[in-house]
Amino acid sequence: MKLGGKIIAAVMIIIIAAVLAVTGLVMAENAGNQYSFNEQRAVLSAEALKNKIDSVSEKVQYCAKLLAQNRRMITAMENGNVKGLELILGDINGSLKLDMITITDQKGAVLLQLPQTDHAQNVNTDHAVMKEALSKKLFWSLEAQALEG
C-alpha cells in the first residue's frame, strides 16, 4: 500500500473514532438530561398532587363547617326527621357537589347516606375517624376517591 493510501486509511480511522467518541458523549449527556427532566417532572407532579389535596381538603372542611352550622339540619337531626334531613342535604349538596355525605347518630348508626346505596350500614364506632367524629367536635375526612377525576 502506498503512503497516500495509508494516510487516507489513518484519517478515516481517526474520523470514525472521533464520530464514535462524540456520539458516546452526546448519548451520555442526553441520558443525564433525561434523568434530570424526569426528576423535575416528578417534583412538579408531587407539587400538583399536594395542591390538589390541599384544595379538596379545604373544600371538605368548609363543607363540614357549613353542614354542622346549618340550623335546618340541626333542627331536623334533633327531631329525628330523616326525610327532612334528606331534602335539606339534597338542596345543600346541589351547590356543594360532594361525592358522598354520611350522617350517623351518636351510636354510629347510619341515618342517611347520599347518594343512597343499598349497602349503607352501621359504621365501626371504634374506628379512629368515627371516634373523632362522634366526640362532638367538628370533624371531616378526605378519602382517596375524592382526588380522582
Side-chain angles (χ1 to χ4, degrees):
M1 185 185 255
K2 292 186 179 179
L3 182 60
K6 289 181 182 179
I7 291 175
I8 290 176
V11 168
M12 296 272 291
I13 290 173
I14 291 171
I15 290 173
I16 291 172
V19 167
L20 289 175
V22 168
T23 301
L25 289 172
V26 167
M27 289 177 68
E29 185 176 334
N30 282 344
N33 287 343
Q34 185 65 36
Y35 176 80
S36 177
F37 175 75
N38 288 342
E39 185 178 36
Q40 288 174 350
R41 285 190 64 184
V43 167
L44 290 174
S45 295
E47 288 174 1
L49 178 60
K50 181 190 177 308
N51 290 340
K52 176 70 173 177
I53 290 170
D54 290 346
S55 171
V56 172
S57 182
E58 286 174 16
K59 178 186 176 186
V60 171
Q61 186 174 12
Y62 167 78
C63 292
K65 287 179 182 177
L66 188 67
L67 293 173
Q69 296 170 353
N70 184 286
R71 192 72 207 137
R72 291 173 48 210
M73 280 193 55
I74 293 169
T75 302
M77 288 289 295
E78 289 173 344
N79 295 332
N81 184 356
V82 176
K83 187 64 178 168
L85 190 59
E86 183 177 354
L87 292 171
I88 294 165
L89 279 175
D91 289 345
I92 293 171
N93 201 33
S95 56
L96 296 181
K97 308 240 185 288
L98 297 174
D99 293 328
M100 185 173 81
I101 301 171
T102 302
I103 305 292
T104 67
D105 66 11
Q106 291 181 339
K107 295 177 183 164
V110 174
L111 299 176
L112 178 64
Q113 186 173 30
L114 294 178
Q116 290 183 348
T117 62
D118 293 334
H119 63 278
Q121 56 187 334
N122 294 348
V123 295
N124 179 1
T125 55
D126 290 330
H127 191 283
V129 170
M130 282 308 297
K131 280 184 179 181
E132 190 69 25
L134 295 173
S135 70
K136 297 186 180 184
K137 297 177 190 169
L138 178 62
F139 182 78
W140 54 272
S141 70
L142 178 63
E143 306 298 328
Q145 294 87 344
L147 300 175
E148 296 176 358

